[in-house]
Amino acid sequence: MIFNVKNAPYNAVGDGTALDRQAIQSAIDAAEAAGGGVVYIPKGTYKLDGGQEDGLQGRPKGGLMVEGDGVILEGEGRETVLKYYNDSPASLIIPLHFTKPPSADKPDLKNVGVRDLTIEFVNAGPASRGGLIMTGCVDFFCERITVRGNGTGMSGSTTNGITINTFSSDGIISGCVVEGVSKPGIYLSAAARVTVVGCMSKNNLCTAPGTPKAGAGFQIAQVEAVSLIDCYATGSAVGFNIVCMGGEYGSGIIDASPAPSLTSFNVTLDDTASALFMERIGIWNPATKRIEELRGTSGTLVSGTTWTVTLPAGNTQLFAAGATIFVNYLPFKNVRIIGGSAKDNVVVYQIPDPQNPNTLKTIVAGVGVNVSSFQPGAVGRDLVISGLVCEGNPDAGIIMSVVEDAIVEGCILRNNRVGIQLSDVGELDADDLPAIEQTKRILVSGCEIYDNKNVGVYLRSVEDVTVQGTRIYRTKDTVQKKPIVIERVDENRRKTTDLKLRDLDFSGYDARMGDDFPISAPVIHTNGDSDAVEDGLYDLAFFNSPEGNLYAPPGSRYLDRATGNVYRKVHGWKKNNWMASLVTHYRFEGTTTSAPVTLYPLPDNSVVHASVVAVARNDNGECAVYRRALGAKRQSSALAVAVGAVQTIGTDGTNNPGWGFTLNVQDNFIRASIVGGMGAHIDWLIRTEIDVYTV
């Protein structure tokens, strides 16, 4: 059935002046009474007053509420406007809310949806709520909805655009636009199996005191199996904000009496909670320094804030008295951002200047994608960011911390301060649980990371990270002076461990630029030995020899693009102990009987193996081939000496027995002497392979 809000008995006006909330709500109530239907809102501007209209049938004042299964609201796009008036940033009135009545045991509003509507805020919006909220909705849709704020920080309020929360699942949000609200444009919280397609969120900035970074394009928290496909975020403090929440509805301590068992324990919380949220709890594990997720529990209120938690059947873990419990614990998992962009997300605010507390310092910040945690020890997992463009963000294109099993692939990260930053959690706080070593198993593959202001890839105390098949380059000399930087979060944290760097293109970095070139290696460890990576594997190509320049795990390989020389890290992780495999060519033409040729100068404290192939030809068509091998060593400043005898590899070949070739060590050089026939024009080509081990 179709319920037209302008028809009798509802009689909405839609002229922007008349208060139409009761008329529209009456049409919604009629659809609910009929078991479902379409509430049709023709084009027009429908005024919803934030607090002056009387409540209807026991509902709160000012907003619209859908509480019945099968109800769909439908308008005519941007020509159907629900205009929300409110003068108080502390208001809790929601313009449009889909939810079951508060008396319901568990919200599960089924087969509902809204399409082709515009919600417009005139002044402030509801505090920490949305223009459109779908709570506990199952099998829902939200199509072509526009939410517009007033463009000036919503008069100091903290208001989301579209919020999907609290047990909502199996839904799709498509073609929506949110602009000018003061907190996240589209916010998914405690939701599962939701797909967001082709949505845009822009210019969402918060002016409420102390919350300059609260505005985000898209925010994801406490979710499972959520995808954002071809979504675009610009002009907010953060483009895509993916966060772990701790116990959103409180925490507590396992009681000693009665003693915990394999089937249940008692816990006293620091606040009241709902039995719904006792179904998913987290337990602090001091051994792993993280919160372990425990689902399938149930809770029975004993008294006050003390609950009996019944554990899942088959539980084999005994939880000790005194352990910390988090209620409604759900770290994000299985999140996908596919395509789209996070561009020009900028927030400007002021803080007291540390150098001069009497003055204010202006801060310019902004991140394309931020992955983090609001609770120490809460770790998200199974994250894929693919084909996303992050550009023009003052901080980083992508910042990831407190996440494991994550993939960043095929992304373009340019013109940010840092291309991508992977980091363990921040400074330890004495009041927080000592959660560390939380960021691990991350793959960065097939990305274009270029022309960022300072650094391409920034790694801080992370574990098991692979960067491969990626271009970390620059198109001009004034930007991204450091391709890869590695350091610790602080002196109490681990080094970055198990780092793999393979098949990376460092175009635009050329040590032959001389003094204008800022670095001698593609990987820079800020504090030298204390930050350098000890395990993993590098396979890199760059200008300069790595000896004395590049820390690398043992077994790493390096190609000097300036000379073609190949180096192998034979042992250790410090800057030395690289073995060079050098290939040189020397061409000699002449008619002299003999001539010496210098092939290689021996470095101090080195052991060298030289393999030489000499090929000759004269004007008469005669030719010769010689193969020799020689070992040599040089200690400190002493003269170099041969190690053993010169070896002839195979059999020499020559058409002229008067020709000859010798190999020796002389005056700290490996030299060759060639002998030709008197008066003949002879062309010699000598190819030398040198393996150098410097100690």
Side-chain angles (χ1 to χ4, degrees):
M1 297 179 63
I2 298 177
F3 301 84
N4 189 324
V5 300
K6 284 193 172 183
N7 290 347
Y10 320 117
N11 300 319
V13 179
D15 64 356
T17 301
L19 296 176
D20 285 319
R21 183 258 177 181
Q22 290 192 9
I24 300 173
Q25 186 65 61
S26 295
I28 293 172
D29 294 343
E32 291 175 359
V38 175
V39 177
Y40 175 56
I41 309 174
K43 62 183 179 181
T45 299
Y46 300 83
K47 184 176 180 181
L48 306 179
D49 193 288
Q52 295 181 10
E53 270 193 293
D54 292 334
L56 188 66
Q57 296 183 6
R59 294 185 173 89
K61 297 179 179 181
L64 301 171
M65 187 171 290
V66 178
E67 297 177 310
D69 296 343
V71 176
I72 296 170
L73 269 62
E74 182 174 325
E76 295 187 31
R78 295 206 170 193
E79 294 187 279
T80 298
V81 179
L82 303 180
K83 202 159 190 175
Y84 178 86
Y85 288 81
N86 180 46
D87 294 325
S88 172
S91 169
L92 301 180
I93 304 302
I94 300 164
L96 179 55
H97 192 185
F98 286 73
T99 183
K100 277 290 180 75
S103 60
D105 291 334
K106 187 172 184 178
D108 57 351
L109 191 61
K110 298 177 180 177
N111 302 315
V112 294
V114 55
R115 62 165 65 100
D116 299 317
L117 285 176
T118 297
I119 297 172
E120 185 174 295
F121 292 99
V122 176
N123 295 307
S128 295
R129 287 165 168 80
L132 165 63
I133 298 183
M134 306 189 81
T135 297
C137 295
V138 180
D139 297 325
F140 67 90
F141 67 84
C142 177
E143 298 176 348
R144 299 179 298 279
I145 300 300
T146 299
V147 180
R148 288 198 296 261
N150 63 10
T152 59
M154 301 281 293
S155 301
S157 62
T158 54
T159 304
N160 306 316
I162 298 171
T163 298
I164 312 297
N165 66 2
T166 316
F167 297 99
S168 290
S169 66
D170 305 291
I172 187 166
I173 305 169
S174 64
C176 296
V177 177
V178 180
E179 179 178 7
V181 298
S182 48
K183 284 187 75 177
I186 295 180
Y187 185 15
L188 306 184
S189 174
R193 299 180 301 280
V194 178
T195 300
V196 184
V197 182
C199 292
M200 175 174 286
S201 189
K202 55 185 180 180
N203 304 328
N204 303 315
L205 297 170
C206 192
T207 60
T211 57
K213 296 184 178 181
F218 299 83
Q219 182 155 310
I220 310 297
Q222 290 189 302
V223 299
E224 185 172 359
V226 164
S227 297
L228 285 75
I229 303 172
D230 289 334
C231 292
Y232 300 84
T234 185
S236 301
V238 181
F240 296 84
N241 199 27
I242 305 171
V243 296
C244 270
M245 307 286 279
E248 188 179 8
Y249 290 89
S251 60
I253 302 297
I254 294 181
D255 296 339
S257 178
S261 70
L262 292 176
T263 58
S264 68
F265 59 76
N266 276 19
V267 58
T268 300
L269 302 179
D270 54 16
D271 204 347
T272 58
S274 165
L276 296 176
F277 303 127
M278 305 302 289
E279 294 183 5
R280 45 198 192 195
I281 61 175
I283 300 178
W284 171 251
N285 186 332
T288 61
K289 302 182 180 67
R290 65 186 298 169
I291 302 171
E292 306 289 351
E293 185 181 7
L294 184 62
R295 301 180 70 173
T297 57
S298 61
T300 303
L301 185 62
V302 177
S303 63
T305 59
T306 298
W307 293 76
T308 296
V309 176
T310 301
L311 298 170
N315 173 58
T316 59
Q317 185 174 0
L318 182 62
F319 301 105
T324 304
I325 299 297
F326 298 89
V327 178
N328 195 33
Y329 176 69
L330 179 64
F332 72 79
K333 61 183 69 175
N334 193 8
V335 174
R336 303 288 186 269
I337 301 177
I338 310 297
S341 68
K343 299 176 63 175
D344 300 324
N345 291 286
V346 181
V347 59
V348 180
Y349 59 98
Q350 292 183 319
I351 61 172
D353 189 339
Q355 306 300 323
N356 188 354
N358 295 322
T359 63
L360 294 176
K361 180 180 180 180
T362 299
I363 302 295
V364 179
V367 179
V369 178
N370 182 62
V371 182
S372 63
S373 176
F374 289 167
Q375 171 65 60
V379 183
R381 61 179 303 173
D382 303 334
L383 170 66
V384 175
I385 303 174
S386 178
L388 184 71
V389 177
C390 295
E391 178 180 4
N393 304 291
D395 286 329
I398 297 175
I399 294 179
M400 300 176 67
S401 64
V402 198
V403 63
E404 59 186 19
D405 301 318
I407 296 175
V408 179
E409 61 180 5
C411 294
I412 297 175
L413 311 174
R414 66 185 175 219
N415 193 29
N416 311 286
R417 184 179 63 84
V418 175
I420 182 170
Q421 175 177 313
L422 309 179
S423 177
D424 195 13
V425 292
E427 298 289 337
L428 291 173
D429 188 325
D431 296 329
D432 287 334
L433 298 169
I436 60 175
E437 302 179 5
Q438 304 290 299
T439 307
K440 61 185 69 175
R441 296 194 301 276
I442 298 174
L443 171 64
V444 179
S445 178
C447 294
E448 297 278 314
I449 304 175
Y450 70 99
D451 287 357
N452 295 287
K453 183 177 180 180
N454 291 346
V455 179
V457 176
Y458 191 14
L459 306 177
R460 305 170 72 238
S461 301
V462 291
E463 177 185 347
D464 192 2
V465 172
T466 298
V467 184
Q468 67 181 26
T470 289
R471 299 212 306 161
I472 306 172
Y473 66 102
R474 59 185 187 171
T475 63
K476 49 189 176 183
D477 299 338
T478 57
V479 295
Q480 198 170 293
K481 294 187 176 182
K482 299 176 180 179
I484 301 174
V485 172
I486 299 175
E487 69 175 20
R488 296 195 201 191
V489 172
D490 59 50
E491 62 182 8
N492 297 315
R493 303 304 170 89
R494 64 182 174 186
K495 294 183 177 185
T496 289
T497 61
D498 193 11
L499 174 63
K500 282 83 66 176
L501 303 175
R502 301 189 183 100
D503 188 23
L504 304 180
D505 182 351
F506 297 104
S507 298
Y509 297 92
D510 189 341
R512 293 172 297 188
M513 295 167 57
D515 293 340
D516 293 332
F517 190 67
I519 55 174
S520 58
V523 183
I524 300 165
H525 298 82
T526 302
N527 298 305
D529 290 0
S530 66
D531 288 345
V533 177
E534 299 183 27
D535 56 355
L537 187 69
Y538 297 176
D539 190 352
L540 302 173
F542 201 69
F543 291 93
N544 279 342
S545 163
E547 183 68 27
N549 292 319
L550 179 63
Y551 292 93
S556 294
R557 179 180 180 275
Y558 178 96
L559 169 66
D560 184 347
R561 293 177 59 193
T563 63
N565 298 330
V566 176
Y567 297 79
R568 294 185 299 275
K569 197 72 159 57
V570 291
H571 68 80
W573 47 269
K574 295 188 176 182
K575 290 183 178 181
N576 55 3
N577 296 324
W578 286 93
M579 176 175 282
S581 296
L582 316 179
V583 179
T584 62
H585 293 83
Y586 183 89
R587 185 169 182 177
F588 173 81
E589 297 183 47
T591 58
T592 58
T593 300
S594 64
V597 177
T598 299
L599 300 180
Y600 182 71
L602 279 81
D604 289 349
N605 298 313
S606 64
V607 177
V608 175
H609 177 266
S611 298
V612 179
V613 177
V615 180
R617 181 182 176 88
N618 69 8
D619 296 338
N620 299 323
E622 296 174 335
C623 62
V625 177
Y626 303 94
R627 299 178 181 88
R628 300 285 188 270
L630 171 67
K633 69 177 181 179
R634 184 182 180 191
Q635 271 188 291
S636 192
S637 57
L639 289 176
V641 297
V643 178
V646 176
Q647 296 179 326
T648 299
I649 304 172
T651 304
D652 293 339
T654 178
N655 295 136
N656 189 328
W659 294 1
F661 182 85
T662 59
L663 189 65
N664 62 8
V665 178
Q666 181 181 354
D667 298 329
N668 294 328
F669 291 91
I670 295 176
R671 299 180 184 275
S673 296
I674 55 178
V675 178
M678 180 64 70
H681 184 278
I682 303 173
D683 185 359
W684 290 85
L685 177 65
I686 303 174
R687 183 179 188 275
T688 308
E689 294 185 9
I690 304 287
D691 288 327
V692 184
Y693 177 46
T694 304
V695 295

PDB file of all heavy atoms in Angstrom, residues 572-588:
ATOM      1  N   GLY A 572      74.732 -10.831   9.504  1.00  0.00           N
ATOM      2  CA  GLY A 572      74.522  -9.611  10.271  1.00  0.00           C
ATOM      3  C   GLY A 572      73.487  -8.708   9.624  1.00  0.00           C
ATOM      4  O   GLY A 572      73.016  -8.954   8.521  1.00  0.00           O
ATOM      5  N   TRP A 573      73.139  -7.631  10.350  1.00  0.00           N
ATOM      6  CA  TRP A 573      72.117  -6.713   9.860  1.00  0.00           C
ATOM      7  C   TRP A 573      72.609  -5.274   9.806  1.00  0.00           C
ATOM      8  O   TRP A 573      71.881  -4.379   9.388  1.00  0.00           O
ATOM      9  CB  TRP A 573      70.871  -6.774  10.753  1.00  0.00           C
ATOM     10  CG  TRP A 573      71.175  -6.714  12.217  1.00  0.00           C
ATOM     11  CD1 TRP A 573      71.396  -7.762  13.052  1.00  0.00           C
ATOM     12  CD2 TRP A 573      71.322  -5.531  13.020  1.00  0.00           C
ATOM     13  NE1 TRP A 573      71.668  -7.310  14.328  1.00  0.00           N
ATOM     14  CE2 TRP A 573      71.619  -5.944  14.341  1.00  0.00           C
ATOM     15  CE3 TRP A 573      71.214  -4.166  12.767  1.00  0.00           C
ATOM     16  CZ2 TRP A 573      71.828  -5.062  15.390  1.00  0.00           C
ATOM     17  CZ3 TRP A 573      71.417  -3.267  13.810  1.00  0.00           C
ATOM     18  CH2 TRP A 573      71.716  -3.727  15.102  1.00  0.00           C
ATOM     19  N   LYS A 574      73.838  -5.039  10.228  1.00  0.00           N
ATOM     20  CA  LYS A 574      74.356  -3.681  10.211  1.00  0.00           C
ATOM     21  C   LYS A 574      74.786  -3.279   8.811  1.00  0.00           C
ATOM     22  O   LYS A 574      74.602  -4.023   7.846  1.00  0.00           O
ATOM     23  CB  LYS A 574      75.491  -3.546  11.219  1.00  0.00           C
ATOM     24  CG  LYS A 574      75.000  -3.734  12.658  1.00  0.00           C
ATOM     25  CD  LYS A 574      76.069  -3.416  13.671  1.00  0.00           C
ATOM     26  CE  LYS A 574      75.511  -3.532  15.087  1.00  0.00           C
ATOM     27  NZ  LYS A 574      76.522  -3.190  16.116  1.00  0.00           N
ATOM     28  N   LYS A 575      75.405  -2.117   8.685  1.00  0.00           N
ATOM     29  CA  LYS A 575      75.673  -1.559   7.364  1.00  0.00           C
ATOM     30  C   LYS A 575      76.795  -2.270   6.611  1.00  0.00           C
ATOM     31  O   LYS A 575      76.921  -2.100   5.398  1.00  0.00           O
ATOM     32  CB  LYS A 575      76.039  -0.078   7.488  1.00  0.00           C
ATOM     33  CG  LYS A 575      74.887   0.823   7.896  1.00  0.00           C
ATOM     34  CD  LYS A 575      75.340   2.269   7.928  1.00  0.00           C
ATOM     35  CE  LYS A 575      74.201   3.196   8.288  1.00  0.00           C
ATOM     36  NZ  LYS A 575      74.635   4.615   8.293  1.00  0.00           N
ATOM     37  N   ASN A 576      77.613  -3.045   7.326  1.00  0.00           N
ATOM     38  CA  ASN A 576      78.725  -3.715   6.657  1.00  0.00           C
ATOM     39  C   ASN A 576      78.374  -5.160   6.332  1.00  0.00           C
ATOM     40  O   ASN A 576      77.225  -5.574   6.424  1.00  0.00           O
ATOM     41  CB  ASN A 576      79.987  -3.631   7.522  1.00  0.00           C
ATOM     42  CG  ASN A 576      79.751  -4.181   8.922  1.00  0.00           C
ATOM     43  OD1 ASN A 576      78.664  -4.669   9.237  1.00  0.00           O
ATOM     44  ND2 ASN A 576      80.753  -4.083   9.766  1.00  0.00           N
ATOM     45  N   ASN A 577      79.392  -5.926   5.937  1.00  0.00           N
ATOM     46  CA  ASN A 577      79.241  -7.347   5.593  1.00  0.00           C
ATOM     47  C   ASN A 577      78.400  -7.573   4.342  1.00  0.00           C
ATOM     48  O   ASN A 577      77.674  -8.558   4.232  1.00  0.00           O
ATOM     49  CB  ASN A 577      78.664  -8.151   6.764  1.00  0.00           C
ATOM     50  CG  ASN A 577      79.603  -8.172   7.958  1.00  0.00           C
ATOM     51  OD1 ASN A 577      80.821  -8.216   7.796  1.00  0.00           O
ATOM     52  ND2 ASN A 577      79.042  -8.099   9.154  1.00  0.00           N
ATOM     53  N   TRP A 578      78.487  -6.643   3.397  1.00  0.00           N
ATOM     54  CA  TRP A 578      77.918  -6.863   2.071  1.00  0.00           C
ATOM     55  C   TRP A 578      78.985  -7.497   1.177  1.00  0.00           C
ATOM     56  O   TRP A 578      80.134  -7.042   1.143  1.00  0.00           O
ATOM     57  CB  TRP A 578      77.470  -5.550   1.445  1.00  0.00           C
ATOM     58  CG  TRP A 578      76.220  -4.972   2.031  1.00  0.00           C
ATOM     59  CD1 TRP A 578      76.129  -4.058   3.034  1.00  0.00           C
ATOM     60  CD2 TRP A 578      74.887  -5.260   1.636  1.00  0.00           C
ATOM     61  NE1 TRP A 578      74.817  -3.749   3.298  1.00  0.00           N
ATOM     62  CE2 TRP A 578      74.025  -4.479   2.447  1.00  0.00           C
ATOM     63  CE3 TRP A 578      74.323  -6.100   0.678  1.00  0.00           C
ATOM     64  CZ2 TRP A 578      72.643  -4.509   2.330  1.00  0.00           C
ATOM     65  CZ3 TRP A 578      72.947  -6.136   0.555  1.00  0.00           C
ATOM     66  CH2 TRP A 578      72.117  -5.360   1.371  1.00  0.00           C
ATOM     67  N   MET A 579      78.610  -8.522   0.455  1.00  0.00           N
ATOM     68  CA  MET A 579      79.519  -9.107  -0.526  1.00  0.00           C
ATOM     69  C   MET A 579      79.107  -8.619  -1.901  1.00  0.00           C
ATOM     70  O   MET A 579      77.954  -8.776  -2.306  1.00  0.00           O
ATOM     71  CB  MET A 579      79.501 -10.634  -0.486  1.00  0.00           C
ATOM     72  CG  MET A 579      80.373 -11.275  -1.567  1.00  0.00           C
ATOM     73  SD  MET A 579      80.473 -13.062  -1.455  1.00  0.00           S
ATOM     74  CE  MET A 579      81.651 -13.226  -0.126  1.00  0.00           C
ATOM     75  N   ALA A 580      80.071  -8.030  -2.604  1.00  0.00           N
ATOM     76  CA  ALA A 580      79.776  -7.471  -3.923  1.00  0.00           C
ATOM     77  C   ALA A 580      80.105  -8.479  -5.013  1.00  0.00           C
ATOM     78  O   ALA A 580      81.125  -9.157  -4.959  1.00  0.00           O
ATOM     79  CB  ALA A 580      80.588  -6.202  -4.143  1.00  0.00           C
ATOM     80  N   SER A 581      79.225  -8.572  -5.993  1.00  0.00           N
ATOM     81  CA  SER A 581      79.489  -9.325  -7.219  1.00  0.00           C
ATOM     82  C   SER A 581      79.546  -8.304  -8.343  1.00  0.00           C
ATOM     83  O   SER A 581      78.514  -7.836  -8.826  1.00  0.00           O
ATOM     84  CB  SER A 581      78.393 -10.362  -7.477  1.00  0.00           C
ATOM     85  OG  SER A 581      78.378 -11.326  -6.446  1.00  0.00           O
ATOM     86  N   LEU A 582      80.795  -7.945  -8.726  1.00  0.00           N
ATOM     87  CA  LEU A 582      80.994  -6.862  -9.677  1.00  0.00           C
ATOM     88  C   LEU A 582      81.279  -7.437 -11.053  1.00  0.00           C
ATOM     89  O   LEU A 582      81.978  -8.436 -11.198  1.00  0.00           O
ATOM     90  CB  LEU A 582      82.169  -5.976  -9.242  1.00  0.00           C
ATOM     91  CG  LEU A 582      82.229  -5.608  -7.758  1.00  0.00           C
ATOM     92  CD1 LEU A 582      83.460  -4.762  -7.485  1.00  0.00           C
ATOM     93  CD2 LEU A 582      80.982  -4.858  -7.354  1.00  0.00           C
ATOM     94  N   VAL A 583      80.753  -6.792 -12.054  1.00  0.00           N
ATOM     95  CA  VAL A 583      81.034  -7.169 -13.441  1.00  0.00           C
ATOM     96  C   VAL A 583      81.607  -5.949 -14.145  1.00  0.00           C
ATOM     97  O   VAL A 583      80.956  -4.902 -14.209  1.00  0.00           O
ATOM     98  CB  VAL A 583      79.769  -7.661 -14.163  1.00  0.00           C
ATOM     99  CG1 VAL A 583      80.098  -8.021 -15.610  1.00  0.00           C
ATOM    100  CG2 VAL A 583      79.185  -8.864 -13.448  1.00  0.00           C
ATOM    101  N   THR A 584      82.848  -6.056 -14.636  1.00  0.00           N
ATOM    102  CA  THR A 584      83.471  -4.951 -15.355  1.00  0.00           C
ATOM    103  C   THR A 584      83.947  -5.420 -16.725  1.00  0.00           C
ATOM    104  O   THR A 584      84.239  -6.601 -16.930  1.00  0.00           O
ATOM    105  CB  THR A 584      84.665  -4.385 -14.570  1.00  0.00           C
ATOM    106  OG1 THR A 584      85.661  -5.417 -14.434  1.00  0.00           O
ATOM    107  CG2 THR A 584      84.238  -3.904 -13.194  1.00  0.00           C
ATOM    108  N   HIS A 585      84.017  -4.506 -17.651  1.00  0.00           N
ATOM    109  CA  HIS A 585      84.514  -4.797 -19.001  1.00  0.00           C
ATOM    110  C   HIS A 585      85.657  -3.837 -19.312  1.00  0.00           C
ATOM    111  O   HIS A 585      85.582  -2.643 -18.982  1.00  0.00           O
ATOM    112  CB  HIS A 585      83.401  -4.642 -20.042  1.00  0.00           C
ATOM    113  CG  HIS A 585      82.310  -5.660 -19.914  1.00  0.00           C
ATOM    114  ND1 HIS A 585      81.257  -5.528 -19.021  1.00  0.00           N
ATOM    115  CD2 HIS A 585      82.121  -6.843 -20.544  1.00  0.00           C
ATOM    116  CE1 HIS A 585      80.457  -6.566 -19.122  1.00  0.00           C
ATOM    117  NE2 HIS A 585      80.950  -7.387 -20.048  1.00  0.00           N
ATOM    118  N   TYR A 586      86.690  -4.373 -19.952  1.00  0.00           N
ATOM    119  CA  TYR A 586      87.807  -3.535 -20.378  1.00  0.00           C
ATOM    120  C   TYR A 586      88.112  -3.883 -21.825  1.00  0.00           C
ATOM    121  O   TYR A 586      88.286  -5.059 -22.173  1.00  0.00           O
ATOM    122  CB  TYR A 586      89.040  -3.782 -19.509  1.00  0.00           C
ATOM    123  CG  TYR A 586      90.196  -2.878 -19.861  1.00  0.00           C
ATOM    124  CD1 TYR A 586      90.330  -1.636 -19.249  1.00  0.00           C
ATOM    125  CD2 TYR A 586      91.125  -3.252 -20.823  1.00  0.00           C
ATOM    126  CE1 TYR A 586      91.372  -0.787 -19.577  1.00  0.00           C
ATOM    127  CE2 TYR A 586      92.168  -2.417 -21.169  1.00  0.00           C
ATOM    128  CZ  TYR A 586      92.298  -1.185 -20.537  1.00  0.00           C
ATOM    129  OH  TYR A 586      93.332  -0.356 -20.882  1.00  0.00           O
ATOM    130  N   ARG A 587      88.198  -2.856 -22.661  1.00  0.00           N
ATOM    131  CA  ARG A 587      88.519  -3.084 -24.075  1.00  0.00           C
ATOM    132  C   ARG A 587      89.871  -2.438 -24.377  1.00  0.00           C
ATOM    133  O   ARG A 587      90.103  -1.283 -24.027  1.00  0.00           O
ATOM    134  CB  ARG A 587      87.446  -2.488 -24.977  1.00  0.00           C
ATOM    135  CG  ARG A 587      87.705  -2.816 -26.444  1.00  0.00           C
ATOM    136  CD  ARG A 587      86.527  -2.477 -27.301  1.00  0.00           C
ATOM    137  NE  ARG A 587      86.775  -2.839 -28.688  1.00  0.00           N
ATOM    138  CZ  ARG A 587      85.895  -2.709 -29.664  1.00  0.00           C
ATOM    139  NH1 ARG A 587      84.690  -2.238 -29.395  1.00  0.00           N
ATOM    140  NH2 ARG A 587      86.200  -3.065 -30.896  1.00  0.00           N
ATOM    141  N   PHE A 588      90.742  -3.204 -25.026  1.00  0.00           N
ATOM    142  CA  PHE A 588      92.086  -2.731 -25.348  1.00  0.00           C
ATOM    143  C   PHE A 588      92.347  -2.968 -26.829  1.00  0.00           C
ATOM    144  O   PHE A 588      92.138  -4.065 -27.343  1.00  0.00           O
ATOM    145  CB  PHE A 588      93.126  -3.470 -24.497  1.00  0.00           C
ATOM    146  CG  PHE A 588      94.541  -3.169 -24.874  1.00  0.00           C
ATOM    147  CD1 PHE A 588      95.162  -2.015 -24.413  1.00  0.00           C
ATOM    148  CD2 PHE A 588      95.264  -4.035 -25.690  1.00  0.00           C
ATOM    149  CE1 PHE A 588      96.471  -1.735 -24.769  1.00  0.00           C
ATOM    150  CE2 PHE A 588      96.568  -3.744 -26.052  1.00  0.00           C
ATOM    151  CZ  PHE A 588      97.182  -2.590 -25.580  1.00  0.00           C
TER     152      PHE A 588
END
